[in-house]
Amino acid sequence: MKKSVSFAMALTLALTAVPATVWADDEVTTLTIWSPSDREAIEEWWTEKLAEWNEEHPEIQVSREAIDRSDSYAYDNKIATAVTSNDLPDIFYVDGPQVSYYAANGISVPLDDYFTEDDLSDFVPSTVAQCTYDGQLYAIGATESSVAFFYNKDYLTECGVDVEDLDSRTLENPITWAEMAEIAEKCTTDSYVGTHIIMDHGEGLPYALEPMYLSAGKDYISEDGAEAEGYVNSEEAVTTTAYLADLIAKGYANIDPIDDEFLNGACATMLGGSWEVATLEANADFEWGVTYYPVNDDTKEAVSPCGDWSAAISKDCENVEAAGEFLQWLMSTDNVATYAAAIAKPAARSSAYDNEAMADYNDGARALFVEQLENTAVPRPRTPSYATFSSAYAEAMTNILSDAATAEEVDTDYVQSELDTVAETFTEDYETYYAE
């Protein structure tokens, strides 16, 4: 959005440590970014990078507002309010599965003019896929995420699990659901549970668990993003959900795990995110390992989660060309590498791993996540009704898992009923707002 360059401009220059320069209003474009606030290393990265850009581009001055996410809905609520008042920032960050919603509702604009096919060939396919809606690119991200199977080597050895076998697994030979359950059974004692499958009772559930449904043969939603009936409530989905509920019913996993359950020594294994690696490296007082996301015993289909925050240009941006130029620079190989290193996440650009900043991702646990992202990552369903699906699925899973914990057995009829409700809720939203 183009604004007068007076006090606002002076403030931007002061905050970004750029020498004060007076420019005529018609010579300077000011751009504003909204993104979630993050830890100190990332906030410092933003300060440094915006100062660098502003010094080199006096004609396009960029500032950022970091939105506190202590309330998980605060950021989305701020975006929603700005949409209503036509007061969106020029650039705003959006979580991967929400790209389709903003695109379908005309809240963001296509970026195809700023990122060619040659540019995008350097980004991992999952990043390009999650940022594409109806054949057009609507966002672009610097980092990715994934989930894999972590294990406490001390606990597992004590329980008689072959840790060397887990250490030797490859992408072509991952552990299966049956093996995961067998390990969980062996490692469930009076002192700790065998595994951890619940990140949270919100978006963490569909994000972390979707690969199990895909490995069984059915995603939550159809590929065109229009149907949930016959997908999230399919026979394959019921079987998958029952498997997960059985882990809870048998006491192998907690319905309400404590914070940092794996790090704090309360569980032997976990389905955990790529971000856990840095935490464990810095804080774990035990030997741990990580192997690939478990696969269905029948299909052996390897699938892993992905997705992260990406930058979009809003409908209210008055100088889309300037915003596009800035995003091209922001998503350069070097900037992606230093950003990913600061936030301790895998980089979305393959070339970023040639940068010294990403040297830690060349081997070990971090390299495993990169391997998954490059070979088995599948983005969450691209549908404008994803938020409706996510909340309905999270509620259904919480009900199903809670019922299993109480009854100490799995009621498949109840599983079917809850998943039917998810399908119906999604269908109502999609057909009301998006069906042609």
Side-chain angles (χ1 to χ4, degrees):
M1 292 173 282
K2 197 168 185 178
K3 309 172 184 69
S4 61
V5 185
S6 53
F7 175 77
M9 183 62 188
L11 180 60
T12 297
L13 294 174
L15 289 174
T16 55
V18 179
T21 305
V22 178
W23 299 88
D25 285 357
D26 60 356
E27 293 179 345
V28 180
T29 294
T30 62
L31 301 174
T32 301
I33 302 171
W34 284 359
S35 67
S37 58
D38 213 304
R39 55 188 183 150
E40 185 178 354
I42 286 300
E43 295 304 318
E44 290 177 354
W45 183 91
W46 274 110
T47 299
E48 176 185 333
K49 286 299 174 180
L50 292 184
E52 179 183 334
W53 167 271
N54 287 337
E55 183 172 11
E56 295 176 359
H57 300 81
E59 77 287 1
I60 303 174
Q61 294 291 290
V62 182
S63 63
R64 168 178 171 263
E65 182 178 349
I67 311 300
D68 184 12
R69 294 185 69 218
S70 55
D71 172 355
S72 61
Y73 296 105
Y75 182 83
D76 289 338
N77 288 342
K78 187 173 179 68
I79 295 289
T81 299
V83 169
T84 302
S85 60
N86 296 313
D87 194 28
L88 285 163
D90 302 280
I91 296 169
F92 67 103
Y93 272 67
V94 53
D95 198 8
Q98 287 294 84
V99 170
S100 296
Y101 169 80
Y102 290 113
N105 286 281
I107 298 168
S108 57
V109 302
L111 303 182
D112 302 85
D113 289 345
Y114 309 103
F115 295 91
T116 66
E117 288 187 17
D118 285 344
D119 294 328
L120 296 178
S121 67
D122 188 43
F123 287 80
V124 292
S126 58
T127 294
V128 178
Q130 78 159 5
C131 293
T132 300
Y133 178 73
D134 199 22
Q136 291 186 289
L137 187 75
Y138 279 91
I140 193 71
T143 54
E144 264 288 4
S145 68
S146 190
V147 172
F149 187 72
F150 289 79
Y151 47 97
N152 183 318
K153 293 187 178 185
D154 298 339
Y155 282 174
L156 267 61
T157 299
E158 180 182 325
C159 295
V161 176
D162 187 349
V163 171
E164 290 185 2
D165 175 59
L166 290 177
D167 290 344
S168 70
R169 294 303 180 108
T170 66
L171 194 64
E172 292 71 34
N173 182 33
I175 66 169
T176 66
W177 296 3
E179 289 174 310
M180 177 180 168
E182 181 181 355
I183 293 170
E185 179 181 13
K186 285 184 177 180
C187 295
T188 297
T189 71
D190 292 338
S191 301
Y192 43 82
V193 293
T195 196
H196 172 105
I197 60 172
I198 300 175
M199 287 187 178
D200 58 42
H201 288 284
E203 178 57 23
L205 284 168
Y207 165 71
L209 301 179
E210 183 184 19
M212 290 202 165
Y213 292 79
L214 286 162
S215 187
K218 281 286 182 72
D219 200 352
Y220 298 135
I221 297 168
S222 61
E223 189 173 352
D224 63 3
E227 296 180 30
E229 181 65 40
Y231 290 86
V232 72
N233 62 341
S234 65
E235 180 180 349
E236 295 90 340
V238 171
T239 299
T240 302
T241 306
Y243 165 81
L244 293 164
D246 193 55
L247 296 172
I248 299 290
K250 291 177 177 174
Y252 301 161
N254 288 319
I255 180 65
D256 289 307
I258 65 170
D259 290 341
D260 296 320
E261 188 175 42
F262 184 76
L263 175 64
N264 288 323
C267 65
T269 68
M270 74 167 172
L271 288 177
S274 47
W275 56 87
E276 301 284 3
V277 173
T279 300
L280 292 167
E281 288 173 343
N283 302 292
D285 59 1
F286 55 86
E287 290 294 318
W288 57 275
V290 61
T291 190
Y292 304 91
Y293 198 100
V295 299
N296 179 276
D297 290 81
D298 295 326
T299 70
K300 302 294 194 299
E301 181 72 22
V303 187
S304 57
C306 61
D308 205 3
W309 291 85
S310 300
I313 298 177
S314 82
K315 66 179 180 63
D316 295 336
C317 179
E318 294 182 4
N319 194 333
V320 173
E321 185 175 349
E325 181 182 344
F326 172 75
L327 283 186
Q328 288 174 328
W329 175 85
L330 188 69
M331 297 299 166
S332 69
T333 293
D334 287 346
N335 284 341
V336 165
T338 56
Y339 179 87
I343 203 170
K345 290 182 177 180
R349 294 194 76 137
S350 298
S351 59
Y353 294 100
D354 296 328
N355 188 296
E356 185 178 354
M358 296 298 289
D360 289 344
Y361 287 81
N362 291 331
D363 52 37
R366 296 179 188 232
L368 180 143
F369 283 105
V370 174
E371 186 181 5
Q372 283 196 159
L373 285 166
E374 291 179 341
N375 293 280
T376 64
V378 176
R380 281 159 282 181
R382 285 171 286 167
T383 174
S385 292
Y386 183 81
T388 297
F389 163 78
S390 175
S391 60
Y393 174 83
E395 180 179 356
M397 287 299 289
T398 297
N399 292 341
I400 291 166
L401 299 178
S402 296
D403 181 73
T406 301
E408 298 184 353
E409 63 179 7
V410 179
D411 182 346
T412 55
D413 288 338
Y414 183 63
V415 172
Q416 181 73 67
S417 174
E418 286 291 307
L419 296 182
D420 285 343
T421 298
V422 178
E424 292 165 5
T425 302
F426 171 88
T427 299
E428 180 180 1
D429 185 86
Y430 187 87
E431 291 188 349
T432 299
Y433 299 106
Y434 304 108
E436 296 181 358

